[in-house]
Amino acid sequence: MEKNADSGILSLLQITDSHLTKDAKSDLLGVVTRDSLAAVLALLKKNISGQEHCEPDFLIASGDIAQDSSQEAYQYFRDQTGSLSARSGWFSGNHDDSQVMIEALNDESLFSKIYRFQHWQLILLDSSVRGSVHGELDSKELALLEKNLSECPDLHTLVCLHHHPVDIGSVWLDKIGLHNRDDFFKVLDKFDNVRGVLWGHIHQDWQSERNGVSLLATPSTCIQFLPKSSGFAVENIAPGYRWLNLHSDGRIESKVYRAEDFKFDLDLKSTGY
């Protein structure tokens, strides 16, 4: 997955669903979320130093950064990822409070919705609905999406959001995905410069394709949900991150890395989180 400095490849790191809290020792179903995030970031540093891949050009923090929407959780995430030289883009998940997040970090550069590079643009959308677990893109988000796809037809585009816009075969998760997915794809289908859609929320590695567009979801940095389950269920599998190389010709090369050495005692009998 490594690239040369002159390769023209844009390298992205996606970290998602960390579910941090104000309490440093707080756990989610037996997994201390600060410890699991630390293990994932340690793996990242190991892979960079071992030249498995390069330093990222950009970090996508794709929601549910905090479980309790506390300023301390957002500040901790920023502190832990601050050693990276990469620019960052953050957006909310259903457990986040976007206003608290913005106030805690006091850095507008983290919350832009559009990031443009030589061959690519990233469009980061807020699919969170206050007080709800499911997602929805309001009219402003959809208009922003259409406007920026239209304005930059020569830029390959990766669209990012928290909630999954397609069914993934898990009954309980598919009920809490993006509810107005038809409106979302109605916009995307107008343009041929969309190369991929990237999200979090489902706590698992998931990949597919729709009309030639890559569809990608990424494991959480804490607990993982059991794929294709009818009801809430977790899987005893390590946390991780996703690495993406975006090529100048529009190709997306991607791989999930998991912190296999991280030891945790998962509550497999839990019926919810």
Side-chain angles (χ1 to χ4, degrees):
M1 294 293 291
E2 192 181 10
K3 67 167 187 177
N4 295 321
D6 299 326
S7 65
I9 295 174
L10 178 66
S11 292
L12 307 181
L13 165 66
Q14 184 194 9
I15 296 179
T16 194
D17 296 271
S18 296
H19 292 274
L20 302 170
T21 67
K22 180 178 180 179
D23 181 358
K25 296 300 182 182
S26 177
D27 71 271
L28 191 62
L29 308 189
V31 176
V32 178
T33 57
R34 291 197 182 193
D35 291 349
S36 58
L37 174 63
V40 169
L41 293 176
L43 173 64
L44 171 68
K45 293 175 182 177
K46 179 181 177 181
N47 284 341
I48 292 172
S49 63
Q51 298 186 333
E52 170 65 22
H53 55 66
C54 60
E55 285 264 2
D57 297 312
F58 195 89
L59 163 64
I60 298 171
S62 54
D64 282 0
I65 296 165
Q67 174 76 1
D68 61 358
S69 301
S70 66
Q71 289 196 9
E72 291 85 353
Y74 297 123
Q75 290 166 348
Y76 182 82
F77 186 89
R78 176 68 183 274
D79 290 344
Q80 296 306 300
T81 58
S83 62
L84 298 171
S85 60
R87 297 168 64 192
S88 299
W90 298 34
F91 52 87
S92 294
N94 48 284
H95 285 277
D96 291 310
D97 186 312
S98 58
Q99 191 58 43
V100 174
M101 189 189 302
I102 291 169
E103 292 173 355
L105 300 174
N106 193 30
D107 184 350
E108 292 184 0
S109 69
L110 295 173
F111 304 106
S112 174
K113 294 180 179 293
I114 309 298
Y115 298 87
R116 288 176 178 159
F117 303 87
Q118 182 179 3
H119 302 290
W120 284 83
Q121 71 173 338
L122 309 179
I123 301 180
L124 311 188
L125 301 174
D126 184 354
S127 60
S128 63
V129 179
R130 183 172 290 276
S132 298
V133 181
H134 74 271
E136 189 166 329
L137 294 170
D138 65 24
S139 58
K140 291 182 180 179
E141 295 293 287
L142 292 170
L144 178 143
L145 175 64
E146 184 161 6
K147 177 178 181 290
N148 284 277
L149 287 172
S150 177
E151 286 181 350
C152 298
D154 296 329
L155 286 181
H156 307 300
T157 302
L158 179 67
V159 179
C160 309
L161 69 167
H162 181 70
H163 293 84
H164 51 303
V166 294
D167 285 346
I168 61 165
S170 289
V171 175
W172 72 281
L173 279 171
D174 289 338
K175 291 179 180 178
I176 58 172
L178 187 72
H179 277 195
N180 63 333
R181 60 187 64 181
D182 289 345
D183 295 333
F184 175 62
F185 283 116
K186 184 178 180 180
V187 174
L188 291 195
D189 290 345
K190 293 179 182 180
F191 303 94
D192 59 9
N193 54 333
V194 180
R195 302 289 176 249
V197 181
L198 179 71
W199 63 85
H201 192 52
I202 66 172
H203 290 229
Q204 59 193 270
D205 178 10
W206 194 90
Q207 301 182 53
S208 187
E209 187 176 285
R210 177 186 179 277
N211 296 343
V213 175
S214 296
L215 305 177
L216 300 164
T218 296
S220 164
T221 66
C222 57
I223 63 170
Q224 311 305 311
F225 296 150
L226 181 68
K228 299 187 182 304
S229 56
S230 58
F232 179 88
V234 290
E235 185 176 23
N236 192 18
I237 188 171
Y241 67 88
R242 182 177 293 279
W243 187 266
L244 304 98
N245 282 339
L246 308 186
H247 293 257
S248 59
D249 62 1
R251 288 181 297 116
I252 298 176
E253 180 187 17
S254 180
K255 183 176 179 179
V256 164
Y257 295 88
R258 294 186 183 270
E260 302 289 356
D261 294 336
F262 177 60
K263 305 300 182 185
F264 57 96
D265 187 15
L266 182 65
D267 180 5
L268 290 170
K269 296 181 180 180
S270 175
T271 57
Y273 78 116

